[in-house]
Amino acid sequence: MSPVVNAVIAAAGLGSRLGHGMPKAMIEVGGQTLLSRMIKTLQPLVPNIYVVIGYREELIIDHCARHHPKVVLVRNPDFRTTNTAQSYAKAGEHLHGKTLFVDGDIIVSPESIRSFLERATGCSLLIGLTEPLSEDAVYARIDATTEGLTVLGFSRSTRSKHEWANLVVGPPNLLEGAEGYVFERLLEHLPSPAGELVMSEVDTQSDLERSIRFVTSL
Amino acid sequence: MRTAFCFDVDGTLTTTEILPCIAAELEIADEMAALTRVTMDGFIPFEASFRLRCAILGQVSPDRVRAIVADVPLGRELLAFIQERPDDCFLVTGNLDIWIEPIVAICGCGFYSSDAEFVDGRLKVKTVLNKADAIHDLRNKRDFDRIVAVGDGANDCSMLAAADVAIAYGGVHTPVPSLIQRAKYIVNEGETLCRLLSTL
């Protein structure tokens, strides 16, 4: 049994679909940036928080210097030619202990992430799932027992009641050498325990509108 | 694996810059600040500016300077980190050896600095440190496998570029953009910096 000691928030990518010209993590919903909301949610739960930056990094550097001085910023200057998995690998390089890898453009309910992290204390890998919402969802094929959920496989075509939530707890080197999507690396570790999150992501304009409503429900 | 930790002094280990404290002695703090600003903006090369500042501040006796330097506040967590592993820590500063001696004594660790002598009442700067040389020395002559460097200013660029792990520190003031471009990590607070260093 070991607690989650690190959180790595990926905020390096371009937010091209949303067209705001800034990192998606810096979009404001309900009066706060997505990044600030995520950091504040995680800060009571995880001692070491890392934010991976790239696209318009100076915005996030300045924001964290002002509002979140205790986070460590990890630069990914190759953000134009690398993906989220590679950002995670860069941050994970020197870390020790169980690590939460999470996208910076999602809003997660504090209660569900707390339960998820508690459950993660007893697993070496815990995959985050949520109810399907995305336009290009990666669905999870699961097995449900009294002990909890287990992911058996992922598919973009076979729909299910659970979508990959872009959030996973594992060892710091979980994404080392990964070149594709994060979930593709997870395929190598299936079957794996999974936990459910209540969350909203911000990928498209309609996501943004839904997220604004989601935030008022928290 | 032996890791060496290299720290800039002004604005990284110290929580205020040293030269303005000395300039205040001569009541030329504003003029010194103007000269520093012009240097940081890149209008005067660092070495020329530094020699000029030393020529001005050299009017203060080294004993008086050392007394001022002994009072410059140091980051508490960073000082404790250094004192816990003095053989693996090095102060790397463009500042003068005869001035920073009290800080080196408090830290108890190794150091690389510019050097000067005070002869017949006049300060003569002998060499101005190129911080990258300190990194090369540690790697080649002192047998360290991995070098971690922490700095905040433009003259730390060559040090961060030569190191294996580069950290820009914003705990005292915002790191300059050219330094950020050479950093893997950016840390804005002393306790967080020490936690990161302990992890590496």
Side-chain angles (χ1 to χ4, degrees):
Chain A
M1 296 274 283
S2 60
V4 179
V5 291
N6 306 307
V8 175
I9 304 172
L14 289 79
S16 38
R17 265 187 294 181
L18 213 39
H20 282 219
M22 61 176 157
K24 278 193 284 179
M26 290 299 286
I27 292 175
E28 283 199 22
V29 175
Q32 277 193 65
T33 61
L34 297 180
L35 181 63
S36 283
R37 191 179 292 276
M38 179 62 75
I39 292 172
K40 285 189 194 163
T41 300
L42 294 176
Q43 218 139 37
L45 305 170
V46 181
N48 305 308
I49 299 182
Y50 300 84
V51 180
V52 190
I53 56 178
Y55 178 59
R56 302 207 65 198
E57 59 178 7
E58 66 285 352
L59 292 177
I60 299 184
I61 292 170
D62 189 63
H63 185 77
C64 288
R66 271 178 227 268
H67 303 292
H68 309 289
K70 285 188 170 292
V71 308
V72 176
L73 296 158
V74 184
R75 293 184 63 248
N76 178 6
D78 302 321
F79 62 91
R80 284 184 199 280
T81 52
T82 59
N83 58 23
T84 307
Q86 288 160 318
S87 282
Y88 286 150
K90 213 167 169 65
E93 194 186 339
H94 294 116
L95 301 187
H96 305 283
K98 226 169 254 184
T99 301
L100 167 72
F101 295 98
V102 59
D103 259 7
D105 60 359
I106 67 175
I107 303 169
V108 64
S109 88
E111 299 76 41
S112 69
I113 187 78
R114 187 183 309 118
S115 305
F116 185 86
L117 292 173
E118 267 166 28
R119 174 119 190 269
T121 311
C123 312
S124 55
L125 184 71
L126 187 65
I127 296 177
L129 301 176
T130 188
E131 74 170 313
L133 294 165
S134 320
E135 284 176 16
D136 54 351
V138 174
Y139 297 100
R141 185 164 53 87
I142 62 129
D143 186 36
T145 66
T146 44
E147 279 123 36
L149 302 179
T150 303
V151 176
L152 304 172
F154 291 112
S155 165
R156 283 199 198 271
S157 50
T158 312
R159 292 174 183 258
S160 75
K161 292 209 192 78
H162 295 92
E163 178 189 345
W164 152 239
N166 287 302
L167 186 162
V168 58
V169 169
N173 62 355
L174 180 63
L175 283 317
E176 191 180 324
E179 287 177 352
Y181 290 104
V182 176
F183 81 88
E184 287 169 344
R185 172 52 62 96
L186 297 184
L187 289 173
E188 300 166 27
H189 298 274
L190 300 182
S192 162
E196 286 168 301
L197 284 316
V198 174
M199 54 171 269
S200 185
E201 63 168 10
V202 179
D203 235 8
T204 63
Q205 188 59 38
S206 60
D207 281 345
L208 181 53
E209 285 153 23
R210 181 173 24 85
S211 296
I212 293 169
R213 292 191 297 274
F214 176 71
V215 154
T216 59
S217 73
L218 290 177
Chain B
M1 172 166 65
R2 289 193 67 209
T3 300
F5 297 94
C6 296
F7 302 99
D8 167 54
V9 174
D10 286 72
T12 296
L13 176 58
T14 70
T15 57
T16 81
E17 303 273 323
I18 295 175
L19 295 191
C21 295
I22 308 170
E25 274 291 291
L26 293 172
E27 295 175 347
I28 51 164
D30 292 341
E31 290 79 356
M32 189 61 54
L35 179 50
T36 306
R37 199 171 53 248
V38 165
T39 311
M40 302 268 279
D41 288 345
F43 290 112
I44 306 181
F46 177 80
E47 177 158 345
S49 165
F50 185 69
R51 285 181 185 275
L52 183 53
R53 282 180 277 165
C54 289
I56 298 168
L57 300 177
Q59 296 171 63
V60 184
S61 81
D63 284 337
R64 183 70 201 123
V65 173
R66 282 193 286 268
I68 296 166
V69 169
D71 283 342
V72 169
L74 307 179
R76 188 167 46 91
E77 297 88 358
L78 194 44
L79 178 60
F81 181 89
I82 294 170
Q83 288 172 331
E84 278 158 25
R85 44 184 77 62
D87 292 337
D88 298 334
C89 291
F90 298 87
L91 304 184
V92 181
T93 175
N95 222 316
L96 302 180
D97 54 350
I98 60 172
W99 287 349
I100 59 149
E101 185 268 323
I103 295 180
V104 174
I106 293 170
C107 290
C109 64
F111 73 101
Y112 294 84
S113 69
S114 300
D115 45 38
E117 52 189 13
F118 195 79
V119 173
D120 298 329
R122 293 195 50 185
L123 182 72
K124 276 189 49 148
V125 176
K126 294 192 292 181
T127 52
V128 178
L129 178 72
N130 175 341
K131 293 197 183 193
D133 292 343
I135 307 298
H136 298 137
D137 188 75
L138 285 168
R139 208 188 291 287
N140 301 329
K141 302 223 191 93
R142 306 263 205 131
D143 219 29
F144 283 97
D145 309 297
R146 191 175 63 153
I147 321 255
V148 177
V150 186
D152 67 290
N155 70 331
D156 293 316
C157 284
S158 65
M159 173 168 82
L160 262 62
D164 299 301
V165 182
I167 302 173
Y169 183 60
V172 178
H173 46 236
T174 314
V176 302
S178 54
L179 189 73
I180 285 177
Q181 276 168 39
R182 287 161 175 80
K184 171 164 180 184
Y185 297 101
I186 303 168
V187 182
N188 290 307
E189 192 263 335
E191 197 248 327
T192 307
L193 172 62
C194 294
R195 252 185 303 125
L196 175 64
L197 296 176
S198 301
T199 302
L200 293 174

